[in-house]
Amino acid sequence: MSGIAPTLGDSITTLSEALTLEIGPFEAVHRWISLPECDEFVGARRSKHTMVAYNDSIYVFGGDNGKSMLNDLIRSDVKEKSWGRAFATGTPPAPRYHHSAVVYNDSMFLFGGYTGDIHSNSNLTNKNDLFEYKFKTGQWSEWKFVGKMPVPRSAHGAAVYNDKLWIFAGYDGNARLNDMWTINLGFGEKVWDEVQQKGECPPTCCNFPVAVARESMFVFSGQSGAKMTNSLFQFSFRDKTWTRISTENILRGAPPPPARRYGHTMVAYDRHLYVFGGAADATLSNDLHCFDLDTQSWSVVQPDPESDAPSGRLFHAAAVVNDAMFIFGGTVDNNVRSRDMFRFQFTSYPKCTLHEDYGSLLTKEECQRYCDIRFLVGEDEEKILAHVPIVAARSSYLREKIRLAKIAMEKHVEKLFTDNNKVNDIHATDFLEVKLPGANCDAFRMVLDYIYTDSIDPSKYVNKAEPDQEKNTLLRIMDVYQLAEEFQMSRLEHLCVQFINTTICLNNIVEALKNADKLKLDFIKEQCLRFIVKDTNFNHIIRSAEFETLESRLIVQILFRKQMPPSKTANETMFDLSKNSLEYDMQNFLHNTGKQFCDVDLILEDHVIPSHKAILVARSGYFEARFRSCMPNETDKRVNIKIGEITPSKKSFDTLLRYIYYGDTKMPPEDSLYLFASASFFNFSNIRLQAICKQNLERNVTHETVIDVLEAADRIQAIDMKKYALELIVLNFKKVVKQPRLKMLDKALILDILDTLGDFMSKKELSDP
């Protein structure tokens, strides 16, 4: 939640402030569009070139066409969708490829690259020269230096930050590099400085992309020889420190990172990094991967069904103009150079805060007042508070425990009160109690983290003063796995297995086997045995001091397993991570399993909608303020839903509840209009719902749906949307007038249509000669 929810007296003002919807031209998000190719008389097909964006244009320099190197500068106007040769004066850089190009103020700066005659294999050399191209004048000029300079290189990375050009890694003709240099592009002395890098620096590499975001430079994969990985590295410009961003140390259902690759592109937009194409383990890829800088997680971007996507390629180039990514050229199948241009429309939706909002129930002190269940964990019965609706939604085992605890409390109350009218009078300060005597407290807290947020960060539970932190983390995840089995949480079991398989190593395998045997985790024990008897691991493990601490029966099992012929393990059945996710479980809870745990009624005119207080509080600042200021008691657990003078329809409010419970954003256009208007009233964490509603209206208000939208706009007094709907009806009048729904319209709206039609015809008469 963010900010303070509006009071009921502020509702009309808040609603009117939300009505700033402007409908304009719309591009379907995540859609690839093929743009006109670059004609041969303008510029050759190419790869290993550079591409930069300036204003609404894209500038492409150099590369190779398969026979020779190029040094032409061509320009694409993205609005006009046209190509031409860029105006240029002065002496341009020599033909080259695998150079770098960046934009600073009104200039393009081009550094290094590989030059010479590739056709005759002569004069081939790497360069360390720096050229400037001024966009406004078309002037090329070379910067001259005295003193220390970076070694000549190609296939390196370049970035601009704080008025400086930063050059990283590349290939010098003999070896791959990972040094870094910088030079001032603005005011100040024009000298090269070598950067003293700290932290976990990427391996020596070349043919990788860089992207700049949040005062950092990001590097993903690239050619690193035997050290080639699919790791993402972040370099902080401020403290000159590298960090390898680890995504495997958190248990969550996000896809893995993209396969290791080279010759790909990476761009930054909003809070995301987008990786496209490249040679991924000898396959030319055309997949698009996205890294969310907020959640530190990778995802695969599914393109719009109507996309015209690029084919797999490497050594292409990419640039961002406004809210879209452009891809040009590259090497495609059969070593052919391309001259294709593609546009990919980004989405600018604010992130979904569902996981964070539910997580705030655990972490925020003010949310403790809404706790209604107390778990007594372990032999010492440590008290851990939680919220019935969230826990009951995620585990059928705990849901049954809660149901039985609820029955037990009702019986307890019945003993205390003889008046039958008070049998169900359980005070808000009373907690249901569930005992879990066999559970480890830290492991149970980690399970609660997963229940509320769909992820577990084991590093939160590591005592940094203790030795063998990785080993302790592995053992704790085994405890979590044991609880996941007991609580019948199959998705969490699967994530634990994934984590354990990626964490087991020669240093911790013996301890892992001991613990799996002790906890009777047969599946994990089997994984450990398989690891030990592998030829590459066996001799090292049996000669270790830790191996001697094993019980004799485990040693016998290992030796027996080693004597057996290696079993052909069948491919494991792929686990559907979308099932039993937080969204999946909350959807099921809203529509099915949660009905017996409702603790508040929402009143919508004649409709009574049973709901769950903790869920409403977690997701909506309005409900949090409402319950905090006037907490409903058992005789008055009712909240009237009204926004100023507006009462939403049951259908549109059901859509709102789906968004609150599990982040669903599927809705008809008329619901989008109401939800756009009411989103700020309910004070969600961000404007995601409004952004999606606007996109839904732009894309789906057609002559077939416009009458419903007109009625909805009139009902909630959305003046701008009503005007848009009336204009759309007039423009499509011959189609709209045939719809039976038109005859059912209110008379006042029919008169509005006629007035708009009259204005349109008058303007048309004035414009006609």
PDB file of all heavy atoms in Angstrom, residues 39-55:
ATOM      1  N   ASP A  39      16.986  -0.195 -48.473  1.00  0.00           N
ATOM      2  CA  ASP A  39      17.261  -0.478 -49.890  1.00  0.00           C
ATOM      3  C   ASP A  39      18.758  -0.559 -50.133  1.00  0.00           C
ATOM      4  O   ASP A  39      19.554   0.151 -49.505  1.00  0.00           O
ATOM      5  CB  ASP A  39      16.657   0.621 -50.776  1.00  0.00           C
ATOM      6  CG  ASP A  39      15.137   0.584 -50.771  1.00  0.00           C
ATOM      7  OD1 ASP A  39      14.585  -0.532 -50.684  1.00  0.00           O
ATOM      8  OD2 ASP A  39      14.509   1.656 -50.842  1.00  0.00           O
ATOM      9  N   GLU A  40      19.146  -1.405 -51.086  1.00  0.00           N
ATOM     10  CA  GLU A  40      20.561  -1.602 -51.378  1.00  0.00           C
ATOM     11  C   GLU A  40      21.245  -0.324 -51.843  1.00  0.00           C
ATOM     12  O   GLU A  40      22.427  -0.115 -51.601  1.00  0.00           O
ATOM     13  CB  GLU A  40      20.732  -2.704 -52.434  1.00  0.00           C
ATOM     14  CG  GLU A  40      20.403  -4.101 -51.932  1.00  0.00           C
ATOM     15  CD  GLU A  40      21.441  -4.630 -50.952  1.00  0.00           C
ATOM     16  OE1 GLU A  40      22.478  -3.989 -50.765  1.00  0.00           O
ATOM     17  OE2 GLU A  40      21.202  -5.700 -50.371  1.00  0.00           O
ATOM     18  N   PHE A  41      20.510   0.567 -52.537  1.00  0.00           N
ATOM     19  CA  PHE A  41      21.156   1.794 -53.012  1.00  0.00           C
ATOM     20  C   PHE A  41      21.390   2.784 -51.868  1.00  0.00           C
ATOM     21  O   PHE A  41      22.135   3.746 -52.004  1.00  0.00           O
ATOM     22  CB  PHE A  41      20.327   2.448 -54.127  1.00  0.00           C
ATOM     23  CG  PHE A  41      19.020   3.029 -53.662  1.00  0.00           C
ATOM     24  CD1 PHE A  41      18.947   4.314 -53.125  1.00  0.00           C
ATOM     25  CD2 PHE A  41      17.848   2.291 -53.769  1.00  0.00           C
ATOM     26  CE1 PHE A  41      17.736   4.835 -52.709  1.00  0.00           C
ATOM     27  CE2 PHE A  41      16.631   2.812 -53.352  1.00  0.00           C
ATOM     28  CZ  PHE A  41      16.573   4.095 -52.819  1.00  0.00           C
ATOM     29  N   VAL A  42      20.745   2.522 -50.695  1.00  0.00           N
ATOM     30  CA  VAL A  42      20.976   3.363 -49.514  1.00  0.00           C
ATOM     31  C   VAL A  42      22.117   2.796 -48.685  1.00  0.00           C
ATOM     32  O   VAL A  42      23.052   3.501 -48.286  1.00  0.00           O
ATOM     33  CB  VAL A  42      19.694   3.476 -48.657  1.00  0.00           C
ATOM     34  CG1 VAL A  42      19.988   4.207 -47.349  1.00  0.00           C
ATOM     35  CG2 VAL A  42      18.604   4.189 -49.437  1.00  0.00           C
ATOM     36  N   GLY A  43      22.060   1.507 -48.414  1.00  0.00           N
ATOM     37  CA  GLY A  43      23.092   0.885 -47.596  1.00  0.00           C
ATOM     38  C   GLY A  43      23.030  -0.623 -47.723  1.00  0.00           C
ATOM     39  O   GLY A  43      21.959  -1.208 -47.905  1.00  0.00           O
ATOM     40  N   ALA A  44      24.176  -1.270 -47.628  1.00  0.00           N
ATOM     41  CA  ALA A  44      24.253  -2.716 -47.802  1.00  0.00           C
ATOM     42  C   ALA A  44      23.678  -3.442 -46.601  1.00  0.00           C
ATOM     43  O   ALA A  44      23.632  -2.915 -45.490  1.00  0.00           O
ATOM     44  CB  ALA A  44      25.712  -3.126 -48.024  1.00  0.00           C
ATOM     45  N   ARG A  45      23.230  -4.671 -46.827  1.00  0.00           N
ATOM     46  CA  ARG A  45      22.890  -5.559 -45.722  1.00  0.00           C
ATOM     47  C   ARG A  45      24.152  -5.775 -44.911  1.00  0.00           C
ATOM     48  O   ARG A  45      25.267  -5.752 -45.465  1.00  0.00           O
ATOM     49  CB  ARG A  45      22.287  -6.858 -46.235  1.00  0.00           C
ATOM     50  CG  ARG A  45      23.165  -7.614 -47.195  1.00  0.00           C
ATOM     51  CD  ARG A  45      22.482  -8.861 -47.730  1.00  0.00           C
ATOM     52  NE  ARG A  45      21.365  -8.546 -48.597  1.00  0.00           N
ATOM     53  CZ  ARG A  45      20.143  -9.061 -48.456  1.00  0.00           C
ATOM     54  NH1 ARG A  45      19.888  -9.909 -47.454  1.00  0.00           N
ATOM     55  NH2 ARG A  45      19.176  -8.751 -49.292  1.00  0.00           N
ATOM     56  N   ARG A  46      24.027  -6.027 -43.583  1.00  0.00           N
ATOM     57  CA  ARG A  46      25.229  -6.040 -42.768  1.00  0.00           C
ATOM     58  C   ARG A  46      25.035  -6.731 -41.437  1.00  0.00           C
ATOM     59  O   ARG A  46      23.904  -6.982 -40.997  1.00  0.00           O
ATOM     60  CB  ARG A  46      25.696  -4.606 -42.524  1.00  0.00           C
ATOM     61  CG  ARG A  46      24.748  -3.787 -41.650  1.00  0.00           C
ATOM     62  CD  ARG A  46      25.093  -2.317 -41.685  1.00  0.00           C
ATOM     63  NE  ARG A  46      24.829  -1.729 -42.993  1.00  0.00           N
ATOM     64  CZ  ARG A  46      25.458  -0.658 -43.475  1.00  0.00           C
ATOM     65  NH1 ARG A  46      26.374  -0.046 -42.731  1.00  0.00           N
ATOM     66  NH2 ARG A  46      25.168  -0.189 -44.668  1.00  0.00           N
ATOM     67  N   SER A  47      26.168  -7.002 -40.784  1.00  0.00           N
ATOM     68  CA  SER A  47      26.185  -7.449 -39.390  1.00  0.00           C
ATOM     69  C   SER A  47      27.423  -6.843 -38.725  1.00  0.00           C
ATOM     70  O   SER A  47      28.261  -6.231 -39.387  1.00  0.00           O
ATOM     71  CB  SER A  47      26.212  -8.983 -39.298  1.00  0.00           C
ATOM     72  OG  SER A  47      27.443  -9.488 -39.751  1.00  0.00           O
ATOM     73  N   LYS A  48      27.509  -7.013 -37.401  1.00  0.00           N
ATOM     74  CA  LYS A  48      28.637  -6.494 -36.604  1.00  0.00           C
ATOM     75  C   LYS A  48      28.732  -4.971 -36.667  1.00  0.00           C
ATOM     76  O   LYS A  48      29.802  -4.391 -36.486  1.00  0.00           O
ATOM     77  CB  LYS A  48      29.957  -7.126 -37.055  1.00  0.00           C
ATOM     78  CG  LYS A  48      29.954  -8.642 -37.064  1.00  0.00           C
ATOM     79  CD  LYS A  48      31.187  -9.196 -37.736  1.00  0.00           C
ATOM     80  CE  LYS A  48      31.044 -10.687 -37.989  1.00  0.00           C
ATOM     81  NZ  LYS A  48      32.128 -11.241 -38.812  1.00  0.00           N
ATOM     82  N   HIS A  49      27.629  -4.309 -36.947  1.00  0.00           N
ATOM     83  CA  HIS A  49      27.560  -2.857 -37.050  1.00  0.00           C
ATOM     84  C   HIS A  49      27.116  -2.265 -35.713  1.00  0.00           C
ATOM     85  O   HIS A  49      26.870  -2.994 -34.746  1.00  0.00           O
ATOM     86  CB  HIS A  49      26.554  -2.475 -38.140  1.00  0.00           C
ATOM     87  CG  HIS A  49      25.223  -3.172 -37.963  1.00  0.00           C
ATOM     88  ND1 HIS A  49      25.052  -4.525 -38.243  1.00  0.00           N
ATOM     89  CD2 HIS A  49      24.017  -2.739 -37.514  1.00  0.00           C
ATOM     90  CE1 HIS A  49      23.797  -4.871 -37.986  1.00  0.00           C
ATOM     91  NE2 HIS A  49      23.149  -3.807 -37.537  1.00  0.00           N
ATOM     92  N   THR A  50      26.997  -0.943 -35.655  1.00  0.00           N
ATOM     93  CA  THR A  50      26.434  -0.272 -34.472  1.00  0.00           C
ATOM     94  C   THR A  50      25.185   0.502 -34.877  1.00  0.00           C
ATOM     95  O   THR A  50      24.997   0.865 -36.046  1.00  0.00           O
ATOM     96  CB  THR A  50      27.439   0.697 -33.832  1.00  0.00           C
ATOM     97  OG1 THR A  50      27.904   1.621 -34.825  1.00  0.00           O
ATOM     98  CG2 THR A  50      28.608  -0.062 -33.223  1.00  0.00           C
ATOM     99  N   MET A  51      24.343   0.750 -33.897  1.00  0.00           N
ATOM    100  CA  MET A  51      23.098   1.464 -34.125  1.00  0.00           C
ATOM    101  C   MET A  51      22.794   2.292 -32.888  1.00  0.00           C
ATOM    102  O   MET A  51      22.836   1.780 -31.761  1.00  0.00           O
ATOM    103  CB  MET A  51      21.972   0.459 -34.392  1.00  0.00           C
ATOM    104  CG  MET A  51      20.642   1.079 -34.751  1.00  0.00           C
ATOM    105  SD  MET A  51      19.542  -0.171 -35.486  1.00  0.00           S
ATOM    106  CE  MET A  51      18.599  -0.675 -34.075  1.00  0.00           C
ATOM    107  N   VAL A  52      22.521   3.584 -33.080  1.00  0.00           N
ATOM    108  CA  VAL A  52      22.178   4.457 -31.963  1.00  0.00           C
ATOM    109  C   VAL A  52      20.913   5.233 -32.312  1.00  0.00           C
ATOM    110  O   VAL A  52      20.563   5.386 -33.496  1.00  0.00           O
ATOM    111  CB  VAL A  52      23.320   5.437 -31.622  1.00  0.00           C
ATOM    112  CG1 VAL A  52      24.587   4.691 -31.222  1.00  0.00           C
ATOM    113  CG2 VAL A  52      23.588   6.398 -32.785  1.00  0.00           C
ATOM    114  N   ALA A  53      20.234   5.713 -31.281  1.00  0.00           N
ATOM    115  CA  ALA A  53      19.013   6.497 -31.464  1.00  0.00           C
ATOM    116  C   ALA A  53      19.279   7.945 -31.097  1.00  0.00           C
ATOM    117  O   ALA A  53      19.933   8.237 -30.078  1.00  0.00           O
ATOM    118  CB  ALA A  53      17.892   5.929 -30.601  1.00  0.00           C
ATOM    119  N   TYR A  54      18.784   8.844 -31.927  1.00  0.00           N
ATOM    120  CA  TYR A  54      18.881  10.281 -31.641  1.00  0.00           C
ATOM    121  C   TYR A  54      17.592  10.925 -32.106  1.00  0.00           C
ATOM    122  O   TYR A  54      17.221  10.836 -33.282  1.00  0.00           O
ATOM    123  CB  TYR A  54      20.082  10.901 -32.344  1.00  0.00           C
ATOM    124  CG  TYR A  54      20.193  12.400 -32.152  1.00  0.00           C
ATOM    125  CD1 TYR A  54      20.604  12.926 -30.927  1.00  0.00           C
ATOM    126  CD2 TYR A  54      19.874  13.278 -33.183  1.00  0.00           C
ATOM    127  CE1 TYR A  54      20.710  14.298 -30.752  1.00  0.00           C
ATOM    128  CE2 TYR A  54      19.969  14.649 -33.017  1.00  0.00           C
ATOM    129  CZ  TYR A  54      20.384  15.160 -31.793  1.00  0.00           C
ATOM    130  OH  TYR A  54      20.483  16.517 -31.605  1.00  0.00           O
ATOM    131  N   ASN A  55      16.895  11.588 -31.177  1.00  0.00           N
ATOM    132  CA  ASN A  55      15.555  12.115 -31.435  1.00  0.00           C
ATOM    133  C   ASN A  55      14.684  10.979 -31.981  1.00  0.00           C
ATOM    134  O   ASN A  55      14.594   9.935 -31.371  1.00  0.00           O
ATOM    135  CB  ASN A  55      15.622  13.322 -32.367  1.00  0.00           C
ATOM    136  CG  ASN A  55      16.261  14.519 -31.687  1.00  0.00           C
ATOM    137  OD1 ASN A  55      16.315  14.586 -30.456  1.00  0.00           O
ATOM    138  ND2 ASN A  55      16.752  15.468 -32.468  1.00  0.00           N
TER     139      ASN A  55
END
